[in-house]
Amino acid sequence: MSLGTKVRLARLFSHPSGNLFGGAVDHFVGYGDVRKGGLADLPGALARVMMGKPDYVSIQPGTARHLWPQYAGKASLVIQAGCFTADDRISELIATPEDAVRAGADALAVAIPVRGATEGKYIRWLTDSVNAAARYGMPVVAHIYPRDFTDGAKIVFTPDEIAYAARIGYESGVDVIKIGYTGDFESFRETVRTCPVPVVIAGGPKTDTLLGALQQTADAIRAGARGAVVGRNLWGHGDPEKAALAFRGVIHDGLSAQDALAKAGA
């Protein structure tokens, strides 16, 4: 690992807890009706996420170009390169490590789905990005989503599939892996234990309650995860600042979900 990669990773995990609290506004092709929901006002959604003082934010390169300058220095910037839908209707790699360098980012995120006939192409996205990033000392954060095609195409979080996603990530040489929490503590602990790079959990899909999302995060951290990258449960919450305070309480202060929620007054 180069010095540049070590320095940038240290900035991502700079909190004294050693964990990471990230915000995500980076899956634009899956937004649906852009006039509705928490992302109808994208500048406003990013502003709401930033009110929560995340350690880093992952966004698309175009969003970074237009919206990030006012937030520079307030959190680490992570450029999202992956652009896909679960059914492969859209399947593009839209940014390179060089793009991330030019943006002043601390990491390149590459979101990929696995399983299905096109899996090999996505693994190639990841390995090519890792190889290219090494030339710039740019860490790669893999966001890996297993799919099931039994009834259409959907993202799944079963223990076997999440373990497979983690294996794809570290065998591709990435520096950090973001995967969904299985809901099964023992299986997730074993997946994290056998993974040689830091694992953080995805903060979605949006749960019925903020308490449910916090409980998942607390369980994942007890199992060895190094934090969470949260999207819908921040910008989709009625009070993103309080939601973020609660997530920080779990991730950085080691609070239980109930105590973090009470402390945040959410």
Side-chain angles (χ1 to χ4, degrees):
M1 184 182 294
S2 72
L3 175 60
T5 302
K6 291 178 181 178
V7 168
R8 292 182 173 95
L9 280 174
R11 287 201 285 258
L12 298 184
F13 290 92
S14 61
H15 192 275
S17 69
N19 291 336
L20 178 153
F21 168 43
V25 190
D26 64 357
H27 291 296
F28 71 101
V29 297
Y31 289 169
D33 187 344
V34 298
R35 300 170 299 171
K36 297 179 180 179
L39 292 172
D41 172 7
L42 188 59
L46 181 58
R48 291 193 296 276
V49 169
M50 289 302 296
M51 286 170 60
K53 299 179 181 178
D55 302 318
Y56 89 50
V57 173
S58 59
I59 52 180
Q60 262 83 18
T63 305
R65 186 175 301 116
H66 293 301
L67 301 180
W68 190 253
Q70 64 182 304
Y71 302 114
K74 297 179 181 178
S76 288
L77 171 64
V78 177
I79 294 295
Q80 176 60 262
C83 178
F84 72 88
T85 54
D87 61 1
D88 289 327
R89 178 180 61 85
I90 295 172
S91 173
E92 302 291 342
L93 195 61
I94 62 170
T96 67
E98 185 178 357
D99 294 327
V101 171
R102 285 200 299 264
D106 282 322
L108 180 77
V110 182
I112 67 166
V114 291
R115 300 301 195 190
T118 56
E119 178 180 49
K121 177 183 71 173
Y122 291 114
I123 294 173
R124 174 60 67 182
W125 278 13
L126 199 52
T127 55
D128 284 353
S129 296
V130 167
N131 291 334
R135 296 196 292 271
Y136 299 99
M138 179 64 64
V140 174
V141 182
H143 299 190
I144 308 180
Y145 303 93
R147 297 178 291 183
D148 181 88
F149 294 91
T150 304
D151 181 18
K154 60 183 179 181
I155 305 299
V156 294
F157 302 94
T158 62
D160 287 351
E161 293 300 328
I162 291 300
Y164 180 74
R167 177 65 64 87
I168 290 293
Y170 73 73
E171 289 200 12
S172 297
V174 305
D175 301 287
V176 181
I177 297 171
K178 185 182 97 166
I179 49 178
Y181 181 59
T182 62
D184 180 83
F185 179 82
E186 292 299 335
S187 70
F188 193 78
R189 180 167 64 177
E190 183 64 12
T191 293
V192 174
R193 185 188 69 80
T194 57
C195 184
V197 300
V199 170
V200 300
I201 67 162
K206 192 176 187 304
T207 54
D208 292 335
T209 65
L210 179 58
L211 179 61
L214 293 169
Q215 188 61 60
Q216 286 188 357
T217 303
D219 289 345
I221 289 174
R222 283 197 304 114
R226 293 280 302 279
V229 181
V230 188
R232 294 170 182 84
N233 287 304
L234 285 185
W235 46 255
H237 190 270
D239 192 328
E241 190 171 8
K242 287 184 178 180
L245 180 60
F247 275 105
R248 286 205 311 273
V250 168
I251 294 167
H252 288 323
D253 299 329
L255 298 180
S256 69
Q258 293 84 355
D259 288 348
L261 199 62
K263 181 179 178 180

